[in-house]
Amino acid sequence: MRDAGITEQHKDILAELANIGTGNAATALSQMLDHEKILLEVPEVNISPLQHVPESLGDPGQKIAAIMMEAACDELELTILLALPLPATLSLIDQLLPEGLEPLGEMGRSLLMELGNILTGSYLNALSDMTGLTFTLSPPGLGLDMAGALLGSVIADKAMLEDSFILIKTTMHILSREVEGNLLLLPSAGSLHKILARLGAQ
Amino acid sequence: METTYVYIADLAVSQNEGLLVTIGLGSCVGVALYDAKRKIAGLVHILLNDSKQYLRDRSNQFNPAKFADTAIPELIKAMEERGASRGALVAHLAGGSQLFDYKFDGVGIGQKNIEAARAKLKELGIAILSEDTGGDYGRTMKINAGSGEVIISSLSREKKLTFINPRGVGSD
Amino acid sequence: MGKKTVLVVDDTAFMRMTLKNILEKNGYSVIGEGEDGLQAIELYKELNPSLVTMDITMPNLDGIKAIEEIIKHDAGAVIIVVSAMGQKALVIDALNAGAKDFVVKPFQPERITEALQKVSRG
């Protein structure tokens, strides 16, 4: 998506959308973690050239778990990534996986996919309430690797041809564990204006 | 040593002492070319396999470094501008993996990228000296313009693969 | 009276394990596990369970379409949806397709057993 036509007002609306969506996702996560307190940062809405997308989660060489899903409503498409740095990944698995199972074995990986599914589903539930749109969601894909390689693969796997992207990122902090995770939204070209129009933006 | 980072859908050329680095090749493919006689190295980080397939999207400026079929000729052109000789070039390939574990049918874009890069190099008569491709993990690729040494590293493998251009291969 | 039999359908192994644990602790017998909508239909026909828990987002065939097919085969099928997708329109779609209740993930274990008790009484 080119940055043409994205105003400060649009960014404000998108940030609010992300705030409410991530709020719902954080509530879901908190429920899964026996009501632990989860704080949200103010969402960042950035227009990033393709070349800098792999750095959008920080150091492109750091190991993260990324759960990728695609939400769709008619021709509107949103790629949603739950990105968890390794400490957060292991801490969540430690609490949620029954004892005796290998943290990053088959069941641990399945848990991460389900976590992506639940948080993304919750995010979309809020988006649906606000826009009146009904989204379908693809089954999750999980990657555990360098952040930059994962983000590059998202762009390549989805054959996104844009030279710049709107990235809508919200960071969640699980206070007692001192770990954080991100929810990252990448709307496909054209999708953004449809969402904005739906919300009555000029 | 001067280090130049090559971003996604980006290319760079370095001479003598420079180091070219691209971090995080997943489905993307890195192609490093080297002219040993003139100590000129080039590196490109390719996103997709075929520009012709994607030309329907005309809303963006065309970036040849994005596609295997156009990126390799573009890299050669940039190296020739710095004095490299096409006949002297040898190639190294890395990346083209499948990082996301999801159910789908058909050939992944990583594999398509590898095949497209190989085909283009073959068409241009450039020998591939080393290849570290495929699998399910990401890679970082470096080439040293002074020595022609290529280093591929990844998180899941501690081992670093090192390839050095044997003398005589590809030199004119 | 024997234990009520349940078919658990969800694409993630972790969620199938979680549901199975909850159900077996509460006196149900999980007689089959499906990973997608197609398997759900096959297994339903083969096993004829008293209850089904059905996810929505799954590969090959989604849960709502699977419910429609199962109801076509057996109008009396007792299916509850267990999904993270709590959007109003999807809940309505699922109920129209023939689901008897809808549990939004994440859930407290009691929510699953309450839903199953409610629908099996009805």
Side-chain angles (χ1 to χ4, degrees):
Chain A
M1 158 140 336
R2 287 174 299 171
D3 51 0
I6 299 296
T7 64
E8 285 304 310
Q9 187 215 2
H10 292 157
K11 285 190 179 181
D12 260 14
I13 294 172
L14 294 170
E16 185 53 21
L17 211 61
N19 188 31
I20 294 172
T22 317
N24 236 27
T27 305
L29 182 59
S30 171
Q31 262 174 275
M32 293 174 82
L33 299 173
D34 292 331
H35 306 283
E36 273 197 52
K37 198 183 274 179
I38 294 167
L39 287 193
L40 297 183
E41 283 182 23
V42 176
E44 292 172 36
V45 180
N46 288 314
I47 296 160
S48 169
L50 166 64
Q51 296 186 344
H52 295 298
V53 171
E55 299 155 30
S56 52
L57 294 168
D59 173 9
Q62 69 175 315
K63 185 171 186 179
I64 65 164
I67 301 100
M68 172 173 59
M69 310 185 74
E70 189 143 327
C73 172
D74 298 326
E75 71 276 47
L76 192 154
E77 283 177 0
L78 297 168
T79 299
I80 307 180
L81 216 60
L82 170 64
L84 301 167
L86 210 59
T89 306
L90 294 173
S91 166
L92 290 173
I93 288 179
D94 183 51
Q95 169 147 2
L96 296 170
L97 197 69
E99 272 180 52
L101 292 168
E102 184 66 30
L104 295 175
E106 197 204 336
M107 207 46 90
R109 294 172 69 91
S110 172
L111 182 159
L112 291 174
M113 290 199 224
E114 188 55 37
L115 199 64
N117 181 40
I118 290 176
L119 297 197
T120 305
S122 307
Y123 197 118
L124 289 176
N125 294 346
L127 239 58
S128 176
D129 280 346
M130 289 166 77
T131 58
L133 300 168
T134 301
F135 296 91
T136 56
L137 196 60
S138 69
L142 168 70
L144 275 157
D145 214 296
M146 291 180 235
L150 288 163
L151 285 161
S153 295
V154 169
I155 307 284
D157 292 359
K158 301 283 169 199
M160 294 177 179
L161 296 170
E162 294 87 340
D163 290 328
S164 64
F165 292 82
I166 297 276
L167 297 173
I168 305 165
K169 182 174 91 171
T170 321
T171 305
M172 299 179 284
H173 295 272
I174 309 175
L175 285 183
S176 61
R177 296 151 195 266
E178 297 182 357
V179 296
E180 59 175 58
N182 297 292
L183 270 161
L184 188 68
L185 234 70
L186 279 102
S188 69
S191 292
L192 208 56
H193 285 285
K194 287 185 198 111
I195 294 176
L196 288 166
R198 200 75 196 192
L199 293 168
Q202 300 295 306
Chain B
M1 191 182 340
E2 192 197 344
T3 300
T4 307
Y5 287 93
V6 177
Y7 297 99
I8 189 169
D10 182 25
L11 62 82
V13 177
S14 191
Q15 200 160 5
N16 299 325
E17 288 307 307
L19 186 70
L20 297 171
V21 180
T22 197
I23 298 173
L25 293 161
S27 306
C28 297
V29 164
V31 176
L33 297 179
Y34 191 58
D35 178 336
K37 194 169 165 191
R38 295 164 195 88
K39 295 190 192 300
I40 298 172
L43 180 61
V44 62
H45 184 134
I46 296 165
L47 183 68
L48 291 164
N49 55 326
D50 182 8
S51 65
K52 290 184 281 303
Q53 237 182 70
Y54 299 106
L55 282 181
R56 61 185 160 80
D57 183 45
R58 292 178 190 280
S59 59
N60 295 297
Q61 297 234 318
F62 180 66
N63 172 7
K66 220 183 244 187
F67 306 99
D69 60 328
T70 48
I72 294 169
E74 189 73 12
L75 180 62
I76 294 171
K77 200 170 90 187
M79 292 174 75
E80 283 175 338
E81 279 166 13
R82 296 280 288 267
S85 162
R86 181 180 293 236
L89 297 178
V90 291
H92 303 267
L93 235 60
S97 55
Q98 166 84 43
L99 296 192
F100 283 97
D101 166 14
Y102 45 28
K103 291 157 190 154
F104 77 110
D105 298 323
V107 178
I109 187 65
Q111 189 59 35
K112 287 183 189 165
N113 281 342
I114 297 166
E115 283 162 16
R118 280 184 198 143
K120 195 71 202 177
L121 289 166
K122 189 175 180 196
E123 180 195 318
L124 297 168
I126 297 171
I128 300 173
L129 277 199
S130 77
E131 196 179 306
D132 183 30
T133 54
D136 61 358
Y137 50 88
R139 297 168 172 89
T140 287
M141 184 179 203
K142 300 175 185 167
I143 181 163
N144 183 323
S147 62
E149 184 187 38
V150 173
I151 298 171
I152 316 286
S153 52
S154 66
L155 292 180
S156 44
R157 293 177 316 170
E158 287 298 310
K159 202 178 101 190
K160 291 188 176 186
L161 300 177
T162 306
F163 306 97
I164 297 181
N165 289 328
R167 293 224 167 270
V169 175
S171 62
D172 62 343
Chain C
M1 208 179 87
K3 284 183 175 180
K4 284 217 187 300
T5 55
V6 187
L7 168 63
V8 171
V9 184
D10 198 295
D11 61 327
T12 57
F14 173 73
M15 190 46 68
R16 293 196 302 275
M17 178 183 75
T18 304
L19 286 167
K20 192 175 172 180
N21 288 344
I22 293 170
L23 292 166
E24 301 209 318
K25 242 182 238 162
N26 286 279
Y28 294 88
S29 166
V30 174
I31 54 168
E33 295 181 29
E35 296 180 19
D36 62 30
L38 295 176
Q39 287 186 13
I41 298 165
E42 288 287 304
L43 288 168
Y44 188 87
K45 289 178 180 170
E46 187 189 320
L47 303 170
N48 196 30
S50 13
L51 300 159
V52 181
T53 74
M54 182 79 76
D55 189 14
I56 291 184
T57 301
M58 293 185 291
N60 304 323
L61 189 75
D62 72 46
I64 291 176
K65 294 200 184 82
I67 294 172
E68 285 169 0
E69 288 302 312
I70 291 173
I71 294 288
K72 257 187 230 166
H73 165 80
D74 173 9
V78 182
I79 306 171
I80 67 163
V81 172
V82 182
S83 169
M85 302 284 276
Q87 301 167 58
K88 211 179 283 169
L90 290 175
V91 175
I92 292 168
D93 283 353
L95 297 177
N96 283 342
K100 299 286 188 288
D101 202 350
F102 199 110
V103 178
V104 179
K105 295 173 187 170
F107 49 76
Q108 298 297 317
E110 308 82 66
R111 180 71 188 88
I112 297 290
T113 48
E114 280 164 17
L116 287 176
Q117 275 161 18
K118 196 181 78 186
V119 298
S120 36
R121 269 203 309 270

